[in-house]
Amino acid sequence: MASAPFISSSEPTKVDASNISSIKAFPIPSSYHSLAEPDDIVDVTEELAASIPVIDFSLLTSDDLKIHTKAVHEIAKACSEWGFFMLTNHGVPESLMQELMKKTHEFYNLPEEEKEEFGDDGDPLSPIRHGTSFHPPAESFNYWRDYLKLLTSPQFSFPHKPPGYREVAFEYNKKINGVARKLLQGISESLGLESDSIIDSSDSDSGLHIMGVNFYPPCPQPHLALGLPPHSDFGFLTFLIQNGIGGLQVKHEDKWLNVNPLPNCLVVNIGDQLEAVSNGRYGSVLHRAILNNKDTRISLVVVNGPARDKEIGPAPELLEKEKPLFKSIKYCDYLLVQQKSQLSDGRTLDQIRYSSQ
C-alpha cells in the first residue's frame, strides 16, 4: 500500500468541512480518513456482478397482459433478492442524459464565488443546497465529494447557471417522474396491491422529489477515504446515472460488488420508504461510493418519494395477514432524522423498526 504523502498520521489535522466550499480546495486531511480498514475497499467480489438484475421497462409497459405480468414478476424478484436493478429501454433519451452531464461539468467548473449563493444552510428541506461531504455537523469523518441537492417536486428548484442547466434538468426530471410512476405501479402489483395503491396513498405524484448531483474529484489517497460510506436511500426509488467513471458499490449477500451499468441504462435502488410500505419484503440496499486518484466521477440521482407530510408505514392490506415491522412516520420527519444522523451509524430505517414481533 502506498504511503500517505500529504498527511502525517502522528499529527492529525481536523478540517471543518462546514467552512469549505469545495473538496477540490485541498489535499486529503486526516478528518477525511473514513476507512477504518483500508483493505476493505479492495475486498470486493466480482463473481456476482454478472447476476445484477436487468429489467426491460418496455416489457413492463406492454399492452400484452402476459408480457406485462412476466415483467412484474421479474421486478418482484429483483426487489426482494437484490434491492436494486438496471433498467433498460426506459425511454429517457440518451442525448438528454449526455446534455445533463455536460451542464453538470459546467456547473462544477464555475468559479467558487459564483456557487456561493447556493451554499448549504443545513436545512435538508431547503430547495437548493451546495456543499461538501454529507452533513459535516453530524460527522466523525468527512467524505470526499461536493454535492448539489435540489428539491424538484412539488416545486422545481434549480440553479440559474450555467445557462441552460435548469431547462435540461427540468426535462430530465419530468422523464424520470414518468418512469417512476410506471415502476411504482408495477411494484404495487407485485405486492398484490392495486396498481395505484402506493401512488395514491402517498401522493407521490406531487411528492417530495430530490435530485442529487455528486462530484467526486480524484483523491490523492483513495485507499484512505470514501466518497460516501455505506448507506441506504430515503424515498421510494432512486434513479442513478453517471459519467462513465466507476465508483458505485452495493452490498449483496454480505459482499461488496462493483456496479458497472449497461450503456444508457438507469440504476434503480429501492429506498427506505418502499421497504416500510412493503413491510420488509423489498429491502433498501446498502451502497457506497469509492474513489480513485485519476478521474473525476459525477453521478446524478433522482429520489422519488411521498408527499412531505404523508405518514408512511406498511400498507394496510399487507397487515391483514402479518404484523407490522415498521412504525409509521411523516416523510419530512424521517428526512430530518436521516440528515442529522451519521451515515456510518447504520440505516435510519432501523430507528423506526419495531424491536420485537
Side-chain angles (χ1 to χ4, degrees), residues 102-320:
K102 175 185 174 183
K103 290 296 180 182
T104 298
H105 273 282
E106 292 178 12
F107 175 84
Y108 278 109
N109 284 331
L110 291 173
E112 295 307 316
E113 56 271 18
E114 288 197 37
K115 293 180 283 188
E116 288 179 355
E117 65 178 286
F118 309 121
D120 194 339
D121 61 3
D123 181 356
L125 296 180
S126 290
I128 301 177
R129 296 186 291 145
H130 176 256
T132 191
S133 195
F134 174 73
H135 184 59
E139 294 171 352
S140 297
F141 296 99
N142 303 133
Y143 302 104
W144 195 262
R145 72 153 186 172
D146 289 348
Y147 61 79
L148 182 62
K149 298 178 183 179
L150 311 136
L151 302 189
T152 57
S153 174
Q155 289 83 37
F156 183 79
S157 303
F158 214 84
H160 55 86
K161 52 188 171 184
Y165 195 16
R166 177 185 172 88
E167 291 74 16
V168 171
F170 179 83
E171 184 64 24
Y172 178 76
N173 274 269
K174 185 170 68 173
K175 295 287 187 182
I176 291 295
N177 289 342
V179 173
R181 196 177 203 283
K182 290 293 186 181
L183 275 180
L184 283 177
Q185 289 177 327
I187 288 170
S188 289
E189 293 173 26
S190 75
L191 291 168
L193 308 175
E194 293 294 326
S195 178
D196 287 337
S197 175
I198 295 176
I199 293 171
D200 290 344
S201 63
S202 67
D203 285 344
S204 69
D205 279 340
S206 57
L208 183 63
H209 302 169
I210 298 175
M211 184 173 184
V213 185
N214 301 308
F215 180 90
Y216 305 99
C219 178
Q221 297 160 287
H223 59 285
L224 295 178
L226 285 169
L228 279 176
H231 66 284
S232 62
D233 291 337
F234 52 82
F236 288 141
L237 298 168
T238 298
F239 298 85
L240 175 144
I241 60 173
Q242 59 187 28
N243 64 336
I245 304 301
L248 174 64
Q249 293 184 338
V250 299
K251 200 165 193 178
H252 181 68
E253 297 180 350
D254 294 323
K255 298 177 181 178
W256 287 105
L257 63 151
N258 294 312
V259 178
N260 299 307
L262 297 172
N264 196 32
C265 83
L266 299 169
V267 176
V268 183
N269 286 4
I270 298 300
D272 291 349
Q273 274 57 49
L274 190 53
E275 179 168 347
V277 167
S278 69
N279 204 32
R281 297 186 188 185
Y282 298 162
S284 57
V285 66
L286 284 175
H287 53 288
R288 66 185 181 185
I290 63 168
L291 305 166
N292 71 82
N293 59 8
K294 295 180 180 179
D295 300 305
T296 293
R297 176 175 180 254
I298 294 177
S299 70
L300 297 100
V301 299
V302 175
V303 178
N304 169 277
R308 68 174 68 196
D309 291 326
K310 277 289 184 178
E311 285 208 359
I312 304 300
E317 299 92 329
L318 300 181
L319 300 183
E320 294 175 2

